[in-house]
Amino acid sequence: PVTLTIETKDCYSNMLRSPETRGQLVPSELINPATGPIFIEGAEPGDTLKVTIKKIDIEDFGVVSCGDDCGPLAPFIKGNHLEIVGIKEDFAEFLGKYKVPLHKMIGVIGVAPVGDAKRTSYPGRHGGNMDTNMITEGTVLYLPVAVEGALFAVGDVHAVMGDGEVGGSGLEIPANITLTLEVIKGKCYEFPIAEDDSDFCVIATEPTLDKATESCMAASLDFLKDKIDIESQQIIMLMSLAGNLQVSQVVDPEMTVRFTFPKKFMDKKEF
Ligand code: CA
Ligand code: ZN
């Protein structure tokens, strides 16, 4: 395993941070930049890239925005708007009076996809713009490797973001991310999987929320069959009782959901 500290720009390539470029339209090719790609020796299709997120250090202010071109609230917005939001010890201070507790998380993290290149605005089986709240300090992310060397990249850190990212942005902020990369040979699942102290979580992306839900549940059952020694239909009942289907984001080109399931109910607790 190798440990790296990676510098990331915010999702507007830091353009809205500086007063000189704040009023300008950010060109689409500068949206959601990711730092990379990083070639990992020995990583091949069929392997898994294990990413342990050790630390996310953020700047002292971020940008939140909304616009009439993005997400379910777009019909209620005219033009583009942004607010600069300061970071105090453990909260973000919106409009100087709303203290929102920080939840630092990574919006874009992934490997190169199968086939044609995908823009970093896209989430998918390769990871990418998953905007998933579980991808935070202390989390381990397992990414299915699709090409030789994996080609890992990361960016789009949020100081905080609610599930769904409903208005189209989190609290977008530059960061230094310290993480460890390691290849797990000869084993991979269909979608990215995250792990924290208490849960495993399958993260699925499809063009619609309905399809993302179907894919997420099928992949979760597939994963849990390897981990729990009871009949398939019993696993499904346990998934009903103890698992949580959650919406990660509804504002990117495709939709992302996740299913979290407690490790304490798994006979095999390792990926
Ligand atoms: Ca994002
Ligand atoms: Zn973002």
Side-chain angles (χ1 to χ4, degrees), residues 7-260:
E7 195 180 328
T8 61
K9 292 181 174 174
D10 74 18
C11 76
Y12 309 110
S13 294
N14 296 356
M15 266 184 72
L16 304 183
R17 293 178 67 75
S18 78
E20 296 89 71
T21 48
R22 189 164 292 158
Q24 295 173 21
L25 194 68
V26 182
S28 65
E29 65 269 23
L30 292 184
I31 297 279
N32 267 340
T35 306
I38 296 168
F39 185 100
I40 294 109
E41 294 279 350
E44 295 170 306
D47 297 341
T48 290
L49 182 64
K50 177 182 178 182
V51 185
T52 305
I53 301 160
K54 304 216 146 160
K55 201 157 190 339
I56 303 173
D57 286 314
I58 56 175
E59 299 272 314
D60 57 2
F61 74 92
V63 178
V64 58
S65 81
C66 67
D68 56 17
D69 56 349
C70 175
L73 294 168
F76 308 101
I77 305 167
K78 278 200 172 68
N80 293 295
H81 305 269
L82 72 88
E83 296 288 344
I84 302 295
V85 180
I87 307 293
K88 300 287 158 64
E89 305 86 63
D90 57 351
F91 60 89
E93 200 172 42
F94 183 66
L95 302 182
K97 58 178 177 176
Y98 300 94
K99 293 179 165 65
V100 185
L102 294 186
H103 177 81
K104 296 178 280 182
M105 49 83 74
I106 300 174
V108 172
I109 183 165
V111 294
V114 182
D116 292 338
K118 275 199 171 163
R119 298 201 67 88
T120 48
S121 51
Y122 275 80
R125 292 174 194 212
H126 64 294
N129 194 13
M130 295 182 285
D131 287 317
T132 292
N133 258 325
M134 186 152 166
I135 304 175
T136 183
E137 276 179 350
T139 294
V140 182
L141 182 65
Y142 301 92
L143 294 164
V145 175
V147 303
E148 199 197 337
L151 305 181
F152 175 76
V154 63
D156 186 30
V157 166
H158 302 156
V160 61
M161 180 199 94
D163 275 346
E165 201 178 14
V166 294
S169 112
L171 185 48
E172 311 292 338
I173 198 158
N176 284 302
I177 304 167
T178 302
L179 50 77
T180 297
L181 300 173
E182 187 176 355
V183 178
I184 298 173
K185 293 299 291 178
K187 170 173 192 161
C188 92
Y189 288 96
E190 193 180 357
F191 287 97
I193 292 175
E195 177 186 5
D196 65 13
D197 288 347
S198 55
D199 297 279
F200 269 102
C201 160
V202 175
I203 305 165
T205 296
E206 296 287 2
T208 66
L209 275 179
D210 286 353
K211 280 212 162 61
T213 299
E214 285 169 24
S215 291
C216 187
M217 297 322 304
S220 296
L221 179 60
D222 192 45
F223 176 71
L224 291 174
K225 276 180 177 174
D226 289 347
K227 312 295 175 197
I228 309 177
D229 303 328
I230 52 179
E231 299 290 324
S232 176
Q233 69 276 8
Q234 296 170 323
I235 294 175
I236 291 171
M237 291 182 233
L238 190 55
M239 288 166 77
S240 282
L241 299 180
N244 288 301
L245 177 66
Q246 298 162 314
V247 175
S248 288
Q249 62 77 25
V250 294
V251 294
D252 295 333
E254 297 198 359
M255 306 289 126
T256 305
V257 303
R258 64 187 188 273
F259 184 72
T260 56

